[in-house]
Amino acid sequence: MSINPVEIPTGAVRFNTDSSKMEVYIGSTWMEVAVSSPNLDGGTRGVLMGGGTPSATNDIDYITIPTAGNSIDFGNLASNRRGPQRGQVGSRVRGLAMGGNPTIQTVASITIASTGSATDTGNILTQGRRLGAGVSNETRALYAGGLTSTAVNTIDATAIASLGSFFDFGDLTLSRYFQTGVSSPTRGVIAGGYRNSPNAYTKTIDFVTITSKGNAQDFGHLTKIGQPEGAGNSIRGVYSGGVGPSYTNTIEFLTIATLGDSVDFGDLTEARAQGQAVSSPTRFVSMSGRNSSDNLVDEMDYIEIATGGDAVNFGELVGADRLRSASASNGHGGL
C-alpha cells in the first residue's frame, strides 16, 4: 500500500526490508543512509575509560558493538580519571577522555583498534573542568560546559589528529554540567544537565555546527531526563537513563538534522544514571552507572537505533563497576 508523502514527517527514519538499508525521508523521497563500520574484529568497537568506584580508577574496557557479551580488558589510563566528558569523542582511529576530577586540563588518548595504555596530553583545555559534554566528527573534537567550582558554558575545540591546544569555540545557551553529547558529521547536539543558578536539572537541548565556530543554539527539550547518557548514529541521537531528581529508565531519541523535542523510544532494563553509552551505525549500548539503590552497575543494555522498543541485556563489565566514565567508539554518528 502506498503512503501519501505529505503524511510522512521530514527526518523520519525507516528500515527498508527489501534492501536491508536504513533510509531517511528528506521531504519528497526516501534516501538511503550511508553508514559503514571499520573492519575491526567483526565490527565497531566501543570503549569505556576511567570513572569512579566511587574513587577514581584508570580501568579501560572495550566491547565489539555488533555482538553481545561481556566487555574485555583494554588497558589503563595514564592516571586515574573520574568525571571526564559525557558523550563519545574520537575519530575512526583515536578515542579521547577530556577533563575530569578535580578540574584537570589534560586529555587522555587511545588508539581504538589496539589495546594498551592511554597517553596523556599536556594542559590543553582552555579551562580545567569535569562533567562536560563531548561531541566530535572525524576531524574535530568539542568539549562543552562542565564544572569548575561552578557550572560553565564554555565550548572548547581542537583537531583530533594533532591534539593541539584547544581554542575557544563559543558558549552554550546555559551554564551547566552533567549534560551529554551526540554527533552527526556536521552537528553536535548537547542535552540535559544540572544548573547551579538556579540549582536545578534542565531539559534544555542545544546544538552547534562542529566545523564552524559560534555559540550554541536552541534545539528543543528532553521529555523527562535531566542527566542522560547519549550516543547515536548520523541520523538519530539517543539518550537513556538519568536522574532529575528521581532515577529513570527512560530512553528518548531525536533526529539530529531537525529541531524539536525528543520523543519516547522505550526503557532500559533498570533505572540508572551517571553511566555512559557507545554506538555503531545501527546499535546503542548503555554502560555502567549507578542505580536507584545507590549501587554501582556493571550491566550493559542495548537497543537497535532504527527501531523503537525496550533495551535488552548486552553483558557485563570486566573492569571495576563504576560511574562518571568517558566513552568512545570508532563508528559513532559523527564519523
Side-chain angles (χ1 to χ4, degrees):
M1 182 181 73
S2 63
I3 300 176
N4 187 341
V6 299
E7 298 175 356
I8 305 172
T10 299
V13 178
R14 74 179 184 185
F15 182 77
N16 187 321
T17 56
D18 293 328
S19 64
S20 297
K21 300 291 185 180
M22 286 180 62
E23 297 177 338
V24 60
Y25 192 71
I26 62 170
S28 59
T29 188
W30 291 95
M31 295 293 291
E32 183 179 310
V33 178
V35 296
S36 62
S37 294
N39 184 17
L40 172 66
D41 297 334
T44 305
R45 180 176 281 188
V47 184
L48 187 71
M49 298 179 278
T53 62
S55 299
T57 180
N58 65 356
D59 283 356
I60 308 176
D61 294 6
Y62 80 92
I63 58 172
T64 302
I65 297 175
T67 66
N70 296 339
S71 68
I72 300 170
D73 180 63
F74 184 99
N76 298 109
L77 296 171
S79 58
N80 294 342
R81 189 179 291 257
R82 181 177 188 263
Q85 94 278 338
R86 309 186 74 236
Q88 302 178 100
V89 180
S91 65
R92 293 282 189 197
V93 176
R94 173 176 280 177
L96 304 181
M98 305 186 293
N101 282 6
T103 50
I104 59 178
Q105 290 181 260
T106 60
V107 174
S109 172
I110 59 166
T111 301
I112 299 176
S114 66
T115 58
S117 297
T119 57
D120 269 359
T121 66
N123 293 330
I124 62 173
L125 293 173
T126 64
Q127 183 182 33
R129 58 196 193 274
R130 61 192 186 277
L131 300 173
V135 297
S136 74
N137 59 17
E138 178 66 18
T139 59
R140 180 177 281 186
L142 275 60
Y143 188 35
L147 180 67
T148 57
S149 58
T150 188
V152 299
N153 65 356
T154 306
I155 306 175
D156 293 354
T158 192
I160 295 174
S162 59
L163 274 187
S165 292
F166 280 68
F167 59 87
D168 180 61
F169 182 95
D171 296 321
L172 293 171
T173 62
L174 298 173
S175 295
R176 61 195 194 269
Y177 59 98
F178 270 133
Q179 67 273 25
T180 191
V182 299
S183 310
S184 73
T186 57
R187 180 175 280 186
V189 181
I190 298 138
Y194 188 84
R195 303 181 65 190
N196 284 141
S197 181
N199 289 327
Y201 291 96
T202 178
K203 298 179 181 179
T204 298
I205 307 175
D206 291 351
F207 77 95
V208 295
T209 301
I210 298 174
T211 54
S212 66
K213 294 173 61 178
N215 294 336
Q217 300 178 62
D218 179 66
F219 185 100
H221 293 85
L222 297 169
T223 64
K224 184 175 182 181
I225 42 185
Q227 193 196 104
E229 58 207 18
N233 59 21
S234 60
I235 303 299
R236 280 185 171 177
V238 181
Y239 300 95
S240 69
V243 56
S246 299
Y247 282 74
T248 180
N249 64 352
T250 301
I251 306 174
E252 304 178 9
F253 79 94
L254 51 79
T255 302
I256 298 175
T258 65
L259 302 179
D261 297 341
S262 62
V263 297
D264 183 69
F265 187 100
D267 295 320
L268 294 171
T269 59
E270 68 171 331
R272 58 181 183 264
Q274 299 181 21
Q276 277 286 9
V278 295
S279 59
S280 71
T282 58
R283 181 174 282 186
F284 169 100
V285 184
S286 165
M287 312 172 76
S288 71
R290 186 189 346 235
N291 63 25
S292 56
S293 299
D294 207 29
N295 296 319
L296 296 180
V297 174
D298 68 355
E299 289 85 2
M300 296 178 282
D301 292 354
Y302 78 94
I303 52 99
E304 300 298 330
I305 298 172
T307 62
D310 296 340
V312 297
N313 181 258
F314 185 97
E316 298 180 354
L317 299 176
V318 295
D321 300 352
R322 56 202 191 271
L323 74 171
R324 302 185 187 179
S325 304
S327 64
S329 87
N330 51 5
H332 68 80
L335 305 180

